[in-house]
């Protein structure tokens, strides 16, 4: 499979002809060769998007017509869902079941923003000035740079592409250089759906060559980034040069609080899902388990029993419950944290190593891992590991649970399990996080906003606000009886 970039309506190769092998993390086989874009390619794409915005008709096309095209993309994604899901599994190692779920979510996102495109007709304001009218309208921002990570390649791209197009912007998308397959395929569907030339551009390549110029360029009006906190900080600095708008969807170190009165089996099951789904490579993974002290021993015993039975393997095998980690480098990062945890005095109660056996030799597998006897100040409790690693802490009061849950630099998501609904609501209100689940973990959908508090970032994707992020607000005032004000007499 050969992957090209899509610039100004043309499938194109990098100006310097460089390529990158795309690797299947399950067996390290080369599954595709991608053209590797450079700064020059990125600048070409930015120019195409700039011209399409300034001189093209996309931003002034009736919102209902833009919405129809965005809806058409959603339908094409549904029609091609199995092919897209297979590509996603090949590229990321996640199970095919997960990838199919992602494609369903992605189609929903395009359909949601399709429906929302023409729903905000502006607002008439009651002007306090006689003989005048006053209205507030929303307009597209302009050229958007969009940068996405490898863990949910197409889903994170969809959260940016669908609202940007629906709102009338033009864009340059840069997927993670290690997982471009599905994003490239969706740009083919954009062509089929009738997205005009220059409106949506795709550049493949590294953060340095493609991501950095997008955040630095004075021709880009907004950068929407999903990825790690350090990259987010770099983007924030470079974006300041032309004061462009930015939205940052960064990492998390998400608490999962379990009170002793919670339904035991549900809470154990959800704790496993919270932390080990997709090998813990989820921004909102419930990697910090906070258990009420009286429940700790029984809960941890059951958790270890069930976690040790998780079936690792090929994402295409039906029996597989979790695939490999994304890359050699990423597995090494996770492994380094195991050493950190042990040195910090946490008890390695399960896992902490690569699984043995022929089936795992070529993939980047790592065993589900549980650290007990953890305390708040440990690095394994504070830092995002982004692998299948749970840290377990205890608490005795609601106050202590909330305090510990809030005690990191992150604020992406968290959950509370309890049968006392008043307590559940109180905890939800007091967690400093963009999403809180009561008696559940992980749900997200197109209708509800997603984003972080604190250093998990700012800006929101999805929901009504997800469209508003891609608009500027303008106040238009009209004097119906213009007359001189005569302030200056000369
Ligand atoms: N908040 C969310 O919704 C959300 C969702 C998914 C992933 N994430 C986070 O993403 C991270 C994992 O993804 P990752 O390892 O791909 O992150 P990353 O920050 O390494 O890379 C993300 C993207 O940024 C690009 N990039 C790298 N350097 C850049 C630079 N200097 N300028 C511009 N772009 C640059 C990369 O090429 C990639 O496309 C985790 O921290 C995870 O929590 C957050
Ligand atoms: C935002 N989400 C949960 C889909 C993926 C995070 O990595």
């Amino acid at each position: 499979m050969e992957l090209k970039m899509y610039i100004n309506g043309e499938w194109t190769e990098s100006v310097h002809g460089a390529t990158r092998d795309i690797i299947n993390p399950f067996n390290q086989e080369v599954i595709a060769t991608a053209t590797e874009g450079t700064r020059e390619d990125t600048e070409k794409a930015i120019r195409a998007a700039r011209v399409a915005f300034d001189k093209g008709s996309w931003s002034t096309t009736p919102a209902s017509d833009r919405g129809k095209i965005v809806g058409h993309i959603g339908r094409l994604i549904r029609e091609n869902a199995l092919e897209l899901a297979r590509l996603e599994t090949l590229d990321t190692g996640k199970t095919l079941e997960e990838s199919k779920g992602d494609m369903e979510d992605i189609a929903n996102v395009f359909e949601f923003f399709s429906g929302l495109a023409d729903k905000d007709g502006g607002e008439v304001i009651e002007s306090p000035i006689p003989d005048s009218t006053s209205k507030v309208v929303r307009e597209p921002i302009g050229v958007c740079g969009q940068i996405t990570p490898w863990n949910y390649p197409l889903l994170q791209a969809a959260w940016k592409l669908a609202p940007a197009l629906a709102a009338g912007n033009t864009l340059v998308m840069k997927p993670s250089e290690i997982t471009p397959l599905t994003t490239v395929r969706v740009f083919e569907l954009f062509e089929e759906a009738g997205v005009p030339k220059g409106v949506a551009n795709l550049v493949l390549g590294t953060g340095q060559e493609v991501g950095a110029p997008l955040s630095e360029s004075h021709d880009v009006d907004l950068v929407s980034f999903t990825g790690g906190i350090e990259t987010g900080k770099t983007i924030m600095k470079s974006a300041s040069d032309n004061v462009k708008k930015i939205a940052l969807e960064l990492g998390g170190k998400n608490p999962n609080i379990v009170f002793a009165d919670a339904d035991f089996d549900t809470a154990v099951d959800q704790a496993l899902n919270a932390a080990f789904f997709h090998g813990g490579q989820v921004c909102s993974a419930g990697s910090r388990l906070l258990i009420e002290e009286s429940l700790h021993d029984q809960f941890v015993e059951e958790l270890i029993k069930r976690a040790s039975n998780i079936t690792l393997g090929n994402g295409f095998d039906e029996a597989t419950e979790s695939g490999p980690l994304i890359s050699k480098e990423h597995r090494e990062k996770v492994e380094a944290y195991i050493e950190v945890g042990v040195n910090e005095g946490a008890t390695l109660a399960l896992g902490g190593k690569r699984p043995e056996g022929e089936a795992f030799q070529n993939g980047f597998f790592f065993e589900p891992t549980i650290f007990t006897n953890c305390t708040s100040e440990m690095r394994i409790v504070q830092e995002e590991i982004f692998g299948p690693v749970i840290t377990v802490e205890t608490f005795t009061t609601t106050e202590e649970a909330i305090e510990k849950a809030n005690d990191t630099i992150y604020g992406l998501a968290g959950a509370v399990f309890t049968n006392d609904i008043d307590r559940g609501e109180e905890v939800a209100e007091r967690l400093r996080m963009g999403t809180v689940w009561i008696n559940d973990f992980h749900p997200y959908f197109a209708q509800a906003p997603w984003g972080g508090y604190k250093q998990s970032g700012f800006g929101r994707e999805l929901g009504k606000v997800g469209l508003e992020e891609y608009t500027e607000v303008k106040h238009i005032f009209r004097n119906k009886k213009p007359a001189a004000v005569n302030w200056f007499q000369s």
Side-chain angles (χ1 to χ4, degrees):
M1 201 182 317
E2 302 226 327
L3 305 176
K4 291 190 181 166
M5 304 186 283
Y6 189 67
I7 300 176
N8 206 20
E10 305 284 337
W11 288 98
T12 164
E13 287 179 1
S14 148
V15 287
H16 295 312
T19 59
R20 168 186 294 266
D21 287 341
I22 307 299
I23 304 294
N24 179 345
F26 165 68
N27 55 17
Q28 299 191 50
E29 280 176 9
V30 176
I31 49 178
T33 306
T35 192
E36 182 89 327
T38 61
R39 277 182 176 261
E40 233 176 290
D41 295 302
T42 312
E43 277 152 19
K44 254 172 65 185
I46 293 170
R47 263 197 311 279
R50 187 77 262 165
V51 170
F53 187 80
D54 294 341
K55 304 209 164 74
S57 57
W58 184 247
S59 66
T60 52
T61 297
S64 53
D65 290 349
R66 288 198 305 259
K68 279 181 196 146
I69 291 185
V70 172
H72 190 174
I73 297 169
R75 283 197 301 287
L76 290 172
I77 286 168
R78 276 193 201 290
E79 284 165 27
N80 294 278
L82 185 57
E83 180 205 347
L84 285 163
R86 286 179 181 283
L87 289 175
E88 203 74 302
T89 290
L90 206 58
D91 213 359
T92 61
K94 64 169 71 178
T95 66
L96 187 59
E97 208 50 36
E98 284 173 65
S99 295
K100 286 182 188 167
D102 286 355
M103 296 315 140
E104 173 68 24
D105 285 342
I106 291 162
N108 288 341
V109 165
F110 278 95
E111 287 165 2
F112 173 75
F113 284 110
S114 157
L116 212 55
D118 62 357
K119 298 298 176 287
D120 186 347
E123 192 187 355
V124 174
I125 304 285
E126 180 57 36
S127 170
I129 299 169
D131 298 317
S132 72
T133 62
S134 183
K135 63 181 177 181
V136 177
V137 294
R138 285 188 176 270
E139 295 180 345
I141 289 183
V143 175
C144 304
Q146 306 189 319
I147 304 172
T148 53
W150 48 258
N151 64 330
Y152 282 76
L154 189 54
L155 185 134
Q156 297 301 162
W159 289 16
K160 300 183 190 306
L161 293 165
L165 290 173
N169 298 279
T170 63
L171 61 95
V172 179
M173 160 61 61
K174 179 219 147 348
S176 166
E177 59 273 33
I178 56 176
T179 54
L181 266 62
T182 46
T183 310
V184 171
R185 180 70 185 105
V186 152
F187 267 72
E188 290 171 3
L189 301 182
F190 279 14
E191 249 189 321
E192 202 176 326
V195 176
K197 185 176 140 173
V199 167
N201 303 275
L202 171 69
V203 185
L204 307 178
T206 62
Q208 275 317 313
E209 288 293 313
V210 184
L214 280 177
S215 38
E216 289 158 11
S217 171
H218 287 211
D219 277 329
V220 173
D221 303 298
L222 169 145
V223 166
S224 175
F225 168 76
T226 301
I229 195 165
E230 291 311 319
T231 318
K233 287 181 191 172
T234 307
I235 287 173
M236 202 167 169
K237 283 183 199 139
S238 13
S240 71
D241 204 40
N242 74 323
V243 199
K244 64 169 66 66
K245 293 184 172 41
I246 49 174
L248 299 179
E249 299 287 344
L250 309 178
K253 190 72 186 180
N254 315 287
N256 183 10
I257 304 169
V258 182
F259 283 92
D261 69 348
D263 181 83
F264 184 79
D265 291 335
T266 304
V268 171
D269 180 73
Q270 293 267 2
L272 286 173
N273 202 41
F276 297 133
F277 188 76
H278 192 17
Q281 300 170 115
V282 183
C283 55
S284 49
S287 52
R288 269 193 306 145
L289 188 54
L290 294 164
I291 311 178
E292 190 164 356
E293 201 167 274
S294 59
L295 183 68
H296 174 272
D297 293 356
Q298 187 196 358
F299 198 92
V300 167
E301 188 186 345
E302 186 64 13
L303 194 70
I304 291 174
K305 194 169 103 199
R306 291 198 49 191
S308 56
N309 285 332
I310 291 175
T311 307
L312 302 179
N314 184 350
F316 286 102
D317 287 347
E318 274 186 22
T320 297
E321 293 173 313
S322 196
L325 299 185
I326 191 67
S327 66
K328 176 175 174 290
E329 295 74 21
H330 187 57
R331 180 168 64 177
E332 285 167 4
K333 177 191 151 190
V334 173
E335 279 172 335
Y337 271 109
I338 304 304
E339 208 181 320
V340 169
V342 170
N343 290 340
E344 286 178 318
T347 305
L348 183 57
L350 182 74
K353 58 183 174 49
R354 302 175 185 194
E356 286 162 12
E358 190 64 27
F360 304 116
Q361 288 319 295
N362 295 323
F364 306 119
F365 287 97
F366 200 74
E367 288 184 356
T369 297
I370 299 175
F371 274 116
T372 54
N373 292 319
C374 297
T375 50
S376 286
E377 70 286 354
M378 291 178 175
R379 280 183 59 202
I380 54 165
V381 175
Q382 292 294 327
E383 296 173 18
E384 186 187 48
I385 298 174
F386 219 53
V389 181
I390 300 184
T391 61
V392 182
E393 295 169 83
T394 58
F395 63 85
T396 54
T397 63
T398 304
E399 205 55 37
E400 190 189 1
I402 293 169
E403 199 176 304
K404 284 186 168 170
N406 279 331
D407 185 20
T408 74
I409 59 167
Y410 293 104
L412 188 59
V416 52
F417 284 83
T418 176
N419 272 327
D420 178 342
I421 198 58
D422 287 339
R423 178 160 62 188
E425 294 282 353
E426 186 200 342
V427 173
E429 281 166 20
R430 292 179 58 196
L431 291 187
R432 303 270 304 142
M433 286 148 209
T435 297
V436 180
W437 297 290
I438 302 174
N439 292 330
D440 209 324
F441 210 104
H442 277 324
Y444 51 85
F445 36 83
Q447 291 78 0
W450 180 269
Y453 280 32
K454 303 196 286 184
Q455 294 190 37
S456 287
F458 50 82
R460 291 292 179 271
E461 297 193 299
L462 304 183
K464 190 165 164 271
V465 66
L467 186 70
E468 291 169 354
E469 290 279 338
Y470 282 94
T471 63
E472 290 276 19
V473 176
K474 181 181 278 177
H475 173 216
I476 300 177
F477 173 86
R478 178 180 156 215
N479 187 337
K480 291 197 288 185
K481 291 192 179 162
V485 291
N486 293 324
W487 181 278
F488 298 108
Q489 301 299 329
S490 52

